[in-house]
Amino acid sequence: MARASRAAPSGFGPPWLQRRLAELLPQFPHVRLCVAFSGGVDSTALLAALAQLPRRPDALRAVHIDHRLQSASRRWSLHCRRVARLLQVPIAVRTARITRVPGESLEAAARAARYALLAAELAPGEALLTAHHQDDQLETVLLQLLRGAGVAGLAAMPTVAPFSAGVLARPLLGTSRAALTAWVREQGLTWVEDPSNAQLRPDRNFLRARVLPVLQERWPSAAATVSRSARHAAEAQRLLDMLGDFDVDRARSGAALSAPLLRRLSPERRRNALRFWIATAGALTPPAARLEEMAGPLLDARGDARPLVAWDGAMVRRESERLVLSPAPAVRRGATPRLGEIRWDWRSKRTRVLPPPFGTLRLESDPRGPLDLDALGGTLMLRERRGGERLRPTRGGPRRALKQLLQEAGVPPTRRAQLPLLFDRGRLIGVADLWLDESVQAGERSRRRARVLWRRSSGA
């Protein structure tokens, strides 16, 4: 555990944070804020500055996730309780149950478990605040570059995104780690240091320990300039999406696309249109080589050839002069788990055990729960993700492709196939314990409220 000494002012503080929150959250200060509080220096700075805001939000609270991966994790939980008590902020501590799928790293599994708990904790309309900062954004952009990401990947972490029954906001993305540390030192607060951050096996840790110090020694403003580049990439991606939407709309033939109209586009616009069409349908974005096949050989093939291009869980085939997107046949999916369709009479049985690896679902009554039980029909249908699913996770917001929500939440592809989806009278109303559709979200007048609890299968 580290204790800070007094230092010179850093420039970060409550007035700055209040202006930033007003920019990100139009309802501020008439909004409830929930802070993901790890006890580290970054989240300590965020929580302490929020506790000192000149204009307090309608409600402020913190949630600490105990991953039980370190022997000191219980002490960290106690530390977080003490800091929250000092700041007079209510805090809840939740314990993660981490399970890994084959090929998934422990870090990815822990992140998935953490966000699942945070999603279950969030109340309707509440904003979850995380302490990701400028240096985190620099690391993310570099990792995406090294993975060969496109413009969407280089846009890195968005400042605001729909999450569970509310939104996820990152108000510190324009602030450096040094500024946050200096401000916590000014306050004389203590924080915890996770020893796993010193391990060089994870790519992010290696970048932070070995690469960034050399990079920032030569270019001290690297974090700020790369964050600016990420914002430019996000803006460019929005323009590409607008162009893709326009081109796809012109080429539509029902749910399919017209091959002759696609051929009229330049190769770059053709690939962009195909990528947009596939993404908005909720399927995984195909690798660059598969996209090239679609934009070239598949479109140029003879009309009677019926060519197809398949990738993880989806395929595009030519039917005469139309391109059709559909789930890949089971034989192409290998060991991808299938749930089929399972009926759940939740009124008579609040818990539903599903075949492995889909785990167990439970509707648990909770006066602060995000789910309005009176908005549900008597029987829910449960099935796995098949592609193209959409829902409205934010009240008054747009309908979103489930695939995009999963990407933004950082859910690994291997785990996405294990999420049970909840349907009510043919409409998608829930995704495990991650998101609820606006149509079933509880409001001030809801009389019976609950929350969806999902426990993964043991060993999944």
Side-chain angles (χ1 to χ4, degrees):
M1 187 175 299
R3 175 175 293 275
S5 58
R6 298 285 176 175
S10 63
F12 168 79
W16 178 92
L17 182 57
Q18 180 152 295
R19 290 192 297 272
R20 185 62 178 145
L21 289 171
E23 293 170 0
L24 299 181
L25 305 172
Q27 310 93 330
F28 183 83
H30 303 298
V31 64
R32 290 174 293 172
L33 303 180
C34 176
V35 179
F37 185 41
S38 70
V41 66
D42 310 325
S43 60
T44 299
L46 177 59
L47 187 64
L50 286 166
Q52 300 175 32
L53 288 177
R55 296 183 66 192
R56 294 291 291 266
D58 286 353
L60 173 64
R61 66 191 183 101
V63 177
H64 173 74
I65 307 299
D66 183 355
H67 297 86
R68 299 285 177 89
L69 295 178
Q70 301 286 340
S71 59
S73 69
R74 290 182 184 275
R75 294 203 305 272
W76 296 346
S77 297
L78 292 173
H79 167 82
C80 289
R81 291 184 190 275
R82 285 195 297 269
V83 172
R85 189 164 54 247
L86 175 68
L87 299 174
Q88 298 182 330
V89 175
I91 186 172
V93 175
R94 301 287 181 256
T95 301
R97 183 176 180 271
I98 298 173
T99 55
R100 298 165 65 181
V101 297
E104 183 180 32
S105 70
L106 181 60
E107 294 79 14
R111 188 179 191 278
R114 177 168 67 253
Y115 275 92
L117 286 171
L118 291 171
E121 185 70 25
L122 209 62
E126 193 172 26
L128 175 69
L129 303 187
T130 65
H132 294 107
H133 47 70
Q134 204 171 70
D135 298 76
D136 292 324
Q137 190 77 307
L138 171 59
E139 294 165 6
T140 301
V141 172
L142 290 176
L143 285 171
Q144 294 286 14
L145 275 171
L146 293 169
R147 292 166 183 163
V151 175
L154 297 181
M157 294 181 285
T159 52
V160 179
F163 183 74
S164 187
V167 297
L168 188 156
R170 300 177 175 96
L172 307 184
L173 282 184
T175 308
S176 69
R177 180 185 287 117
L180 297 174
T181 304
W183 189 81
V184 172
R185 284 175 175 157
E186 294 169 21
Q187 309 304 305
L189 294 170
T190 59
W191 64 89
V192 298
E193 295 282 4
D194 186 345
S196 68
N197 290 334
Q199 297 173 3
L200 298 183
R201 182 179 56 82
D203 291 339
R204 187 177 289 271
N205 287 1
F206 183 84
L207 271 178
R208 185 179 303 159
R210 295 289 181 85
V211 178
L212 293 188
V214 177
L215 190 69
Q216 291 175 314
E217 182 180 2
R218 180 65 178 85
W219 293 281
S221 60
T225 54
V226 170
S227 290
R228 187 163 64 246
S229 294
R231 292 193 296 272
H232 293 329
E235 182 176 305
Q237 185 59 50
R238 287 192 292 271
L239 293 173
L240 287 172
D241 287 345
M242 291 171 62
L243 180 61
D245 192 14
F246 175 80
D247 288 338
V248 166
D249 189 58
R250 292 185 64 189
R252 278 197 187 281
S253 176
L257 294 184
S258 164
L261 291 176
L262 284 175
R263 291 191 196 102
R264 295 178 189 176
L265 300 175
S266 67
E268 297 83 4
R269 285 182 67 169
R270 194 182 304 163
R271 288 192 295 271
N272 184 61
L274 288 167
R275 188 185 297 110
F276 180 83
W277 175 54
I278 291 166
T280 53
L284 287 174
T285 302
R290 296 288 181 268
L291 202 61
E292 288 283 357
E293 288 182 50
M294 277 180 253
L298 184 138
L299 278 177
D300 296 337
R302 297 192 323 271
D304 60 350
R306 295 181 62 85
L308 66 84
V309 174
W311 66 101
D312 187 12
M315 67 178 183
V316 169
R317 65 185 187 277
R318 264 264 310 278
E319 293 185 352
S320 185
E321 287 290 68
R322 298 166 72 247
L323 267 63
V324 178
L325 173 66
S326 60
V331 67
R332 295 181 178 274
R333 294 167 126 187
T336 300
R338 299 299 301 271
L339 182 59
E341 293 192 349
I342 294 180
R343 296 171 62 86
W344 183 14
D345 184 0
W346 64 270
R347 289 175 178 169
S348 61
K349 193 172 184 180
R350 288 291 186 93
T351 300
R352 191 65 166 89
V353 179
L354 303 174
F358 294 97
T360 301
L361 284 168
R362 174 173 172 76
L363 296 183
E364 185 170 287
S365 297
D366 184 338
R368 293 183 61 251
L371 174 64
D372 185 348
L373 290 174
D374 292 324
L376 296 180
T379 302
L380 301 179
M381 296 298 295
L382 309 175
R383 68 167 173 82
E384 79 277 8
R385 179 171 170 251
R386 298 174 184 171
E389 296 89 0
R390 302 176 71 86
L391 75 165
R392 197 185 308 273
T394 304
R395 191 176 295 276
R399 293 181 74 238
R400 300 287 307 281
L402 175 55
K403 180 241 185 184
Q404 292 176 315
L405 292 171
L406 292 168
Q407 286 182 332
E408 291 172 1
V411 180
T414 48
R415 198 176 293 280
R416 295 175 197 175
Q418 302 176 358
L419 296 172
L421 308 187
L422 294 82
F423 289 81
D424 184 8
R425 290 160 284 191
R427 183 182 67 250
L428 176 63
I429 56 100
V431 181
D433 53 2
L434 293 175
W435 294 285
L436 289 173
D437 186 73
E438 175 191 54
S439 60
V440 297
Q441 290 177 15
E444 294 181 358
R445 297 184 179 180
S446 298
R447 295 179 298 116
R448 294 193 305 151
R449 298 172 68 147
R451 63 178 65 249
V452 179
L453 300 180
W454 176 50
R455 174 171 291 184
R456 301 180 186 89
S457 297
S458 178

